[in-house]
Amino acid sequence: MSLDLKTDCATMDQRAQDILRGNDRGGFTVPTNGLYPYQFNWDSVFAAWGFARIDLVRAWEEIEKLFDGQWPNGMVPHIVFRQYDPDYFPGPDVWGCTHAPVITSGISQPPVAASCVTRLYAMDPELGQAKVAVLMPKLLRWHRWFIEWRQSGGAICVHHPWESGRDNAADWDGAMAAITPGDVGNYTRRDTAHVNPAMRPTDEDYDRFLYLVQRARRLGWDEVRLAEDAPFRVADPGMTFVLLRANRDLEQLAGIVGHPTEEIAGWTRMLEKGAAGLWNADLGAYDSRDVLTGAFSNALGSTSYLCWYAGLTDDRMVPALERTLRDVRYPMPSLDPGDGRFDSLRYWRGPTWAPVNALVGLGLQECGPPGTGEQLRKKTAQMIASHGFAEYFDPRDGTSAGGGTFTWTAAVWLAWASPSAREVA
Ligand code: GLC
């Protein structure tokens, strides 16, 4: 189906707005009703970017509410629970985190917030000035937390697969297999009651996910104790590129509010060095690396293509980029279809996700090979227009998967993919 720009675009824009408003729970959004009934970190930032098209004050509010969950050590958690909802597992009772004024999870997520704040500011500097002044120290503390507790050789590591935002990606297979979860007790997954289990992580994954949460809870979520004999520590190009970009944007924000930039600039240099260390020459791509064993994951995923977004113009990634844009109907697959572990509908083991496409696309539009960013934007628009505002999509034919009426897919439509969004991208 080809998109009739004049009529379909207006209808799609309206539907996307309705989804954002429908998932609004009073100043913050949930990713989708039922499956994810809480505020999630990077989902909210994408929501803010989408809201910025229709209501800039509401966009700022989304980010402000996310920081309600910030811990005294600077960490901004991946879930802000606020209240208990029996529809979601593992809920606040499992995490046991009472470190912030609101109840949260105990791990973080890709730090896209500073980059979004830069965009919101640019849309209305007069409104943005006071907002940036309040958010600047919070963003700074969060970035510092990453450098202090999640950095190895300049690259950013995850201590739980959920921290990456890509729960069951092939990147974690080796490190996950090395974990013996033991007895994690009886529990009932809630995700598989909402969507087809074939589209979700396996039960073996879940035992390990829970084991890591239970261990951290036992150690009081104390980063010093957690770092000793950490059972899972994987350096991730996705996190490294996102923080590198966010850090460049943070430096710009610091300039706006007259905050010193030396510390931030130092982090940028450190992250550039760390990113370089994630180049896997055998794979011909940036790759995640198990810090405990030194082994690469040999997984070419969509976040490997975030190098341009991070401001690194790397011609070595061009062959894989061109092949993927040419051969995959709806790029960027979360795992390369040529990989034996590719599973077209299983979450982060193959499907295409609109928010990652938006970041990759922005990077390509800014400094990638000419035309590639626009190509990805158009294909993403076509995918959403033809298959709806799903959580994610089969890269081979666009089949929609996971939850429906999804906040970040609607937000990415409004902010980047929609033909009407081009002038603000
Ligand atoms: C899943 C995704 C994660 C996202 C969350 C809410 O856990 O892997 O990236 O933040 O759902 O949408």
Side-chain angles (χ1 to χ4, degrees):
M1 174 191 140
S2 79
L3 192 59
D4 173 347
L5 296 190
K6 286 203 182 65
T7 50
D8 295 352
C9 171
T11 314
M12 289 291 291
D13 284 1
Q14 187 56 52
R15 282 185 56 208
Q17 290 185 35
D18 293 345
I19 289 173
L20 288 190
R21 297 285 189 202
N23 288 338
D24 188 341
R25 295 291 177 271
F28 70 93
T29 50
V30 296
T32 189
N33 198 35
L35 182 62
Y36 302 112
Y38 299 114
Q39 183 177 20
F40 279 67
N41 190 323
W42 69 328
D43 299 68
S44 255
V45 175
F46 284 104
W49 192 27
F51 267 123
R53 280 285 316 274
I54 51 176
D55 183 344
L56 195 52
V57 171
R58 176 62 186 78
W60 281 109
E61 197 184 359
E62 184 84 29
I63 306 270
E64 287 157 359
K65 282 251 189 295
L66 175 64
F67 279 86
D68 284 354
Q70 186 164 35
W71 286 21
N73 68 1
M75 197 270 284
V76 182
H78 95 299
I79 307 177
V80 183
F81 289 115
R82 290 199 173 80
Q83 83 296 338
Y84 178 69
D85 189 320
D87 236 11
Y88 182 84
F89 179 85
D93 48 328
V94 178
W95 291 87
C97 298
T98 50
H99 302 65
V102 287
I103 302 173
T104 68
S105 71
I107 54 171
S108 202
Q109 248 189 350
V112 277
S115 302
C116 181
V117 166
T118 312
R119 285 180 178 275
L120 301 191
Y121 172 82
M123 290 171 82
D124 182 349
E126 210 180 311
L127 169 68
Q129 185 74 32
K131 304 281 187 196
V132 172
V134 173
L135 284 167
M136 179 70 208
K138 301 181 182 187
L139 288 163
L140 191 70
R141 286 175 49 231
W142 188 20
H143 285 209
R144 194 179 286 129
W145 175 87
F146 271 110
I147 299 295
E148 210 169 340
W149 299 112
R150 291 293 187 271
Q151 180 254 136
S152 169
I156 298 301
C157 309
V158 289
H159 283 188
H160 192 298
W162 287 340
E163 200 157 58
S164 69
R166 310 189 318 280
D167 307 11
N168 66 337
D171 302 60
W172 327 126
D173 285 2
M176 285 281 269
I179 293 175
T180 311
D183 183 9
V184 293
N186 290 329
Y187 63 93
T188 307
R189 291 176 61 170
R190 300 293 307 155
D191 57 328
T192 44
H194 291 282
V195 295
N196 183 347
M199 297 180 181
R200 300 290 304 179
T202 62
D203 286 344
E204 289 71 35
D205 288 333
Y206 249 78
D207 280 355
R208 288 169 172 78
F209 292 155
L210 268 191
Y211 163 79
L212 291 171
V213 171
Q214 290 174 354
R215 170 183 180 270
R217 183 180 182 161
R218 231 181 8 257
L219 297 176
W221 296 101
D222 174 351
E223 295 292 356
V224 177
R225 297 173 73 198
L226 288 171
E228 290 162 17
D229 300 324
F232 184 94
R233 194 164 157 79
V234 183
D236 175 33
M239 291 296 260
T240 306
F241 288 144
V242 164
L243 187 65
L244 177 47
R245 169 55 182 265
N247 214 57
R248 294 189 202 281
D249 290 327
L250 188 66
E251 198 172 334
Q252 206 182 312
L253 293 173
I256 289 165
V257 293
H259 190 283
T261 53
E262 290 74 21
E263 184 185 21
I264 306 171
W267 295 339
T268 299
R269 285 192 296 275
M270 182 190 287
L271 290 161
E272 282 173 341
K273 185 171 148 270
L278 295 180
W279 179 259
N280 178 345
D282 294 337
L283 185 67
Y286 288 100
D287 192 14
S288 48
R289 189 204 281 270
D290 188 337
V291 173
L292 305 181
T293 63
F296 275 119
S297 304
N298 288 307
L300 171 56
S302 46
T303 54
S304 305
Y305 298 100
L306 286 172
C307 50
W308 290 280
Y309 177 73
L312 309 172
T313 35
D314 198 329
D315 288 347
R316 295 174 303 176
M317 282 298 295
V318 173
L321 174 72
E322 287 180 341
R323 180 172 48 76
T324 303
L325 287 177
R326 187 190 62 228
D327 296 348
V328 179
R329 183 152 170 214
Y330 293 117
M332 306 297 292
S334 47
L335 183 61
D336 192 76
D339 190 306
R341 298 164 291 186
F342 175 82
D343 191 340
S344 70
L345 284 173
R346 202 181 282 280
Y347 225 37
W348 293 96
R349 302 181 77 82
T352 294
W353 295 70
V356 176
N357 276 19
L359 302 185
V360 172
L362 284 177
L364 292 173
Q365 286 166 326
E366 287 166 355
C367 60
T372 52
E374 183 56 10
Q375 204 181 332
L376 182 57
R377 189 196 65 75
K378 279 194 176 140
K379 287 187 178 208
T380 307
Q382 201 64 62
M383 177 178 78
I384 300 172
S386 308
H387 301 276
F389 295 96
E391 184 177 6
Y392 53 90
F393 304 85
D394 186 326
R396 299 168 314 172
D397 58 11
T399 299
S400 57
T405 56
F406 222 83
T407 293
W408 64 16
T409 309
V412 161
W413 173 270
L414 284 173
W416 177 71
S418 169
S420 71
R422 257 175 302 172
E423 67 279 4
V424 299

